[in-house]
Amino acid sequence: MADIAPVLKAVVPAAGLGTRFLPATKATPKEMLPIVDKPAIQYVVEEAVDAGLTDVLMVTGRSKRSIEDHFDRAYELEEALRAKGDDERLGAVRESSELAIMHYVRQGEPRGLGHAVHCARQHVGREPFAVLLGDDMIDARDQLLKRMIEVRGQHGGSVVALMEVEPDQVSSYGCAAIEATGEDDVVRISDLVEKPAPDEAPSNWIIIGRYVCDPAVFDVLEKTPPGRGGEIQLTDALRTLADTPADQGGGVFGVKFRGRRYDTGNKLEYLRTVVQFASERPDLAPEFMPWLREFVRQHDQ
């Protein structure tokens, strides 16, 4: 196999309207909603950085300027904290601006994930790249993205993250037809179906919001017609790449993920995520957990 280029760049689509969280997201990007005291989008960027990707392109839309501001310096705030001698909060404020080299491009209209990824073409060029969706948060202890990059280095092509769900859940996700390889957590993907009916799903393994894409995906996306909902689906482009020869950037592999994933794309899962994170915070758990137990006890009576 020819030398496989390293993955150095990350693309984070963040142009969605956040309609599930209205009215909170009327003026505040959904990605900026806090998980305790840190916006969800920062956890995603931290994951990319932990995997060695310090060049991050954020695909944004209108009314998303606060995302850019969050990852920029805030000199007046920093100076005020410095003057008060509040080094702890000063470090927390500066942390986001020092994480990575951040770039931004706007998706002019909401035409689907595939279109959002295609907006990254000029920045990414002919390099492989990771795509991290802001609705999916992967526990930092599980190192999913690092494993996906490793699999790309071994096999080439593109790599998606897979998670097994109950049959009645597959219609909410892209679903994969899989073939075993010599590794327990790695499969070859022969087909992908976007949000199939349960009786039409090729398996119970769904695609979650992590991808490592060969740059060949851009040429495919350019020719991919709108699919379900009139949107250009990344799943459709990867389906084409699954049948494309390896020497043309084809081949799609899946990493079976059995770790901790937090879905912040709807209100119930968002609330669960906040509670889970607060329950594991050493500065909050000693007081939060007894209160939570008492709250649950009272409501169980």
Side-chain angles (χ1 to χ4, degrees):
M1 181 182 294
D3 290 342
I4 298 174
V7 181
L8 302 174
K9 295 179 178 179
V11 175
V12 181
L17 298 176
T19 52
R20 292 180 181 178
F21 286 86
L22 287 170
T25 50
K26 178 181 178 181
T28 301
K30 176 187 66 176
E31 297 82 6
M32 290 298 294
L33 295 179
I35 308 300
V36 184
D37 55 5
K38 187 189 296 185
I41 195 70
Q42 183 171 333
Y43 287 99
V44 175
V45 174
E46 288 173 351
E47 181 187 346
V49 172
D50 288 344
L53 313 180
T54 56
D55 183 317
V56 178
L57 175 69
M58 198 81 65
V59 183
T60 66
R62 295 181 63 238
S63 304
K64 300 277 186 170
R65 180 57 66 86
S66 61
I67 296 177
E68 297 184 35
D69 290 341
H70 179 71
F71 290 102
D72 199 358
R73 295 288 298 274
Y75 293 103
E76 297 86 351
L77 178 58
E78 291 177 22
E79 187 55 39
L81 293 170
R82 188 179 294 107
K84 291 163 78 172
D86 194 340
D87 293 338
E88 181 178 352
R89 288 185 175 85
L90 176 61
V93 166
R94 295 196 64 174
E95 180 184 18
S96 60
S97 64
E98 297 172 345
L99 274 173
I101 301 171
M102 301 295 298
H103 309 269
Y104 302 90
V105 64
R106 281 198 174 187
Q107 183 183 14
E109 53 184 318
R111 296 178 57 197
L113 176 58
H115 180 261
V117 170
H118 192 263
C119 290
R121 182 171 196 164
Q122 185 171 0
H123 178 77
V124 170
R126 299 304 300 172
E127 300 178 40
F129 61 102
V131 178
L132 298 88
L133 304 191
D135 285 349
D136 273 335
M137 291 170 50
I138 304 298
D139 196 293
R141 293 166 289 190
D142 290 325
Q143 303 290 295
L144 170 61
L145 188 56
K146 279 187 179 179
R147 176 59 177 149
M148 293 174 67
I149 292 171
E150 182 180 85
V151 170
R152 152 78 191 184
Q154 293 170 341
H155 298 283
S158 298
V159 183
V160 301
L162 300 175
M163 198 165 195
E164 192 171 24
V165 299
E166 295 298 324
D168 61 354
Q169 297 180 41
V170 296
S171 60
S172 298
Y173 301 90
C175 187
I178 59 177
E179 301 171 356
T181 67
E183 297 175 90
D184 179 61
D185 66 331
V186 180
V187 293
R188 180 182 293 274
I189 292 178
S190 58
D191 195 10
L192 293 163
V193 183
E194 183 66 22
K195 298 182 178 180
D199 59 348
E200 297 176 354
S203 75
N204 291 349
W205 288 92
I206 62 163
I207 304 170
I208 60 175
R210 297 295 180 270
Y211 309 79
V212 176
C213 296
D214 189 276
V217 74
F218 290 127
D219 290 336
V220 178
L221 283 169
E222 194 166 3
K223 301 172 185 175
T224 299
R228 184 185 292 265
E231 297 183 339
I232 298 173
Q233 301 291 351
L234 180 59
T235 303
D236 290 339
L238 291 171
R239 185 182 189 185
T240 298
L241 286 178
D243 289 328
T244 300
D247 61 1
Q248 297 176 32
V252 179
F253 296 85
V255 171
K256 291 182 173 180
F257 180 62
R258 299 180 174 92
R260 290 154 287 197
R261 169 191 178 234
Y262 310 96
D263 182 354
T264 60
N266 64 72
K267 285 177 278 192
L268 180 58
E269 293 300 329
Y270 171 77
L271 290 172
R272 287 173 174 164
T273 299
V274 172
V275 171
Q276 286 179 276
F277 274 59
S279 299
E280 295 188 5
R281 284 271 296 261
D283 59 330
L284 297 176
E287 293 185 49
F288 179 67
M289 290 303 293
W291 172 86
L292 183 60
R293 292 189 190 100
E294 179 62 18
F295 179 83
V296 171
R297 186 190 67 79
Q298 291 179 0
H299 283 73
D300 280 345
Q301 293 177 351

